[in-house]
Amino acid sequence: MVTSRAVTFINNSTPATLVKKEIDLDKCHDENQIVIQVYAASLNPVDLLLHSFAYKYVVGSSMKTYSRDYSGVIVKRGSNVDPKWKVGDKVNGMFKHLYGDQGTLSDYLVLDPSQQVAIVHSTAPPDSKYNEFVVSAAWPLVFGTAYTALFNFGQKLGPDSKILVIGASTSVSYALLKIAKEVLGVKTMVGVCSSKSVDYNKKLGYDYLATYDQGPIPESVGKILVGELNNEKFDLIFDSVGGSDFFPIIDRFLKPKSQNSYYLSIAGDNKIKYSEPSLRDAISPWTILRRLNPFKSFNYGLFLVDSQSEYMELGAKMIKEGTYEPLIDSVYPLEEFQQAIEKQKSNTAKGKIVLKIKGDL
């Protein structure tokens, strides 16, 4: 028997709480499952939203758990598990669940790797100031989200493509930038950020930067479009923070629908304040209508990342090659999970917030 800790909640009126329970590692899994001792995990905005929107009359009174990203070591495996997953292997991944009784802010995670396919053998970056498990826990969900935007909507993006990224400073946007540059060879990446973050994002690799705090965003982007881009419109507009500024004038910025251009969002029409999230902001009626309207004049997608092995394999490859390393804002021990959650709520993190589950990392 071992003691397993986990950060849990019941509904949106109960706080995140660290609970302990005894588990038998020999009996907690079936023959199709592996048991992972989690060494590190990270937070994502979706964790805060799911807690905030967990109304008791909808989600019930069962205990629910935090987080999806994880890294760790396999400590048990069932007899039917694919032989490539061995006891002692270092792994990381994105554990897909919705109000489940297992999350990754816990000491142990039990999963079927044939069902939870966003899992890979961990790779370490060539040179990093962070522990390899901390790095491995920081990228699966954001990298998978970026991969989905670039590969899963049927676009053939390449060197001549032009991509506009709204929310250039986010971890998802950075992953998208690196995949677009290093894998697809995209030569024109335009980011939107605050005026204070322009130098920061130039160093990350954006070709051009517009600001959202020095006048209307379309006006700032329009100057780049007319000037540096010679009025060549975008193949893809990717929004990682939420907004609707471009919709009334989308034809000025996005290539025609017939050329398979896309406006993709992971946040909808409104920027969400994670300290006080509003269900109306998160699920705007206009966002729903835009997504479902078959007569809209442009291709639009609002999506969440699904479980896929392809993005995990690509991410591990890029980590090993040194062509991508996730941005990490801060690292906390599991015991300081509340401080980590407050940092995520602040909307000020530049990179992922990682929690060390295994104390001696």
Side-chain angles (χ1 to χ4, degrees):
M1 300 292 285
V2 296
T3 300
S4 182
R5 303 162 300 164
V7 176
T8 68
F9 65 96
I10 295 173
N11 54 54
N12 60 2
S13 65
T14 62
T17 305
L18 189 65
V19 300
K20 297 179 181 179
K21 68 176 181 179
E22 299 294 312
I23 62 172
D24 187 334
L25 294 180
D26 292 318
K27 297 179 179 179
C28 67
H29 65 93
D30 64 32
E31 297 306 322
N32 298 310
Q33 295 176 319
I34 58 176
V35 182
I36 299 168
Q37 183 179 0
V38 180
Y39 281 33
S42 65
L43 290 173
N44 290 284
V46 66
D47 300 315
L48 306 183
L49 296 180
L50 287 174
H51 190 176
S52 294
F53 300 148
Y55 298 101
K56 61 182 179 181
Y57 50 81
V58 175
V59 301
S61 58
S62 62
M63 192 169 289
K64 298 151 192 80
T65 51
Y66 256 82
S67 293
R68 285 144 183 80
D69 293 313
Y70 66 88
S71 66
V73 174
I74 298 174
V75 293
K76 295 288 180 178
R77 66 183 299 276
S79 60
N80 296 334
V81 172
D82 190 317
K84 72 178 181 180
W85 307 113
K86 299 179 177 64
V87 171
D89 285 355
K90 298 176 182 179
V91 295
N92 67 309
M94 195 276 289
F95 182 69
K96 183 180 178 183
H97 70 100
L98 181 65
Y99 295 128
D101 59 357
Q102 278 199 114
T104 63
L105 287 192
S106 59
D107 285 300
Y108 294 93
L109 183 65
V110 181
L111 60 86
D112 180 345
S114 69
Q115 300 296 318
Q116 293 280 354
V117 297
I119 181 174
V120 74
H121 289 96
S122 300
T123 56
D127 184 25
S128 176
K129 67 178 182 179
Y130 294 104
N131 176 279
E132 62 178 301
F133 289 102
V134 169
V135 174
S136 293
W139 63 264
L141 188 145
V142 294
F143 192 91
T145 302
Y147 180 98
T148 300
L150 292 171
F151 291 100
N152 288 15
F153 286 85
Q155 290 189 285
K156 302 296 182 183
L157 300 167
D160 295 330
S161 301
K162 292 175 174 56
I163 299 177
L164 173 65
V165 180
I166 304 170
S169 302
T170 68
S171 295
V172 173
S173 294
Y174 178 65
L176 187 138
L177 170 71
K178 298 302 287 185
I179 299 171
K181 287 286 189 183
E182 300 292 342
V183 179
L184 298 174
V186 176
K187 295 178 181 177
T188 306
M189 297 290 297
V190 180
V192 177
C193 62
S194 70
S195 55
K196 294 180 180 179
S197 298
V198 168
D199 289 340
Y200 169 81
N201 282 299
K202 280 182 179 177
K203 293 177 182 177
L204 294 184
Y206 287 95
D207 299 294
Y208 307 102
L209 287 155
T211 58
Y212 64 74
D213 56 356
Q214 295 180 324
I217 296 175
E219 183 178 306
S220 184
V221 175
K223 291 177 181 177
I224 296 172
L225 188 72
V226 172
E228 288 86 345
L229 304 190
N230 297 314
N231 269 322
E232 292 187 28
K233 300 176 184 178
F234 295 102
D235 299 272
L236 170 64
I237 298 177
F238 175 72
D239 180 6
S240 67
V241 293
S244 58
D245 302 79
F246 287 94
F247 295 138
I249 49 175
I250 195 69
D251 291 344
R252 298 183 194 174
F253 295 90
L254 193 64
K255 287 181 179 178
K257 185 178 182 180
S258 60
Q259 295 184 29
N260 202 29
S261 61
Y262 261 91
Y263 188 109
L264 298 177
S265 176
I266 59 172
D269 282 20
N270 302 299
K271 186 172 183 178
I272 297 172
K273 186 178 180 182
Y274 293 114
S275 60
E276 298 176 347
S278 160
L279 190 59
R280 182 176 178 82
D281 285 343
I283 309 175
S284 162
W286 290 111
T287 302
I288 296 171
L289 287 172
R290 187 176 301 107
R291 187 168 187 247
L292 298 178
N293 178 14
F295 303 110
K296 54 183 173 288
S297 61
F298 62 99
N299 292 315
Y300 175 81
L302 175 69
F303 71 95
L304 294 174
V305 66
D306 203 353
S307 189
Q308 261 185 274
S309 60
E310 290 84 356
Y311 62 72
M312 291 303 301
E313 291 165 2
L314 178 61
K317 178 175 180 288
M318 292 181 69
I319 292 281
K320 185 177 182 179
E321 293 173 345
T323 54
Y324 168 70
E325 183 177 339
L327 302 174
I328 295 174
D329 178 271
S330 47
V331 182
Y332 296 83
L334 179 61
E335 294 78 10
E336 295 179 11
F337 70 92
Q338 194 58 60
Q339 291 95 312
I341 290 172
E342 291 304 316
K343 178 66 174 181
Q344 186 76 67
K345 285 181 178 180
S346 72
N347 285 73
T348 61
K350 286 190 180 296
K352 292 299 294 292
I353 297 168
V354 180
L355 290 100
K356 295 186 292 184
I357 310 300
K358 193 170 186 291
D360 57 355
L361 286 188

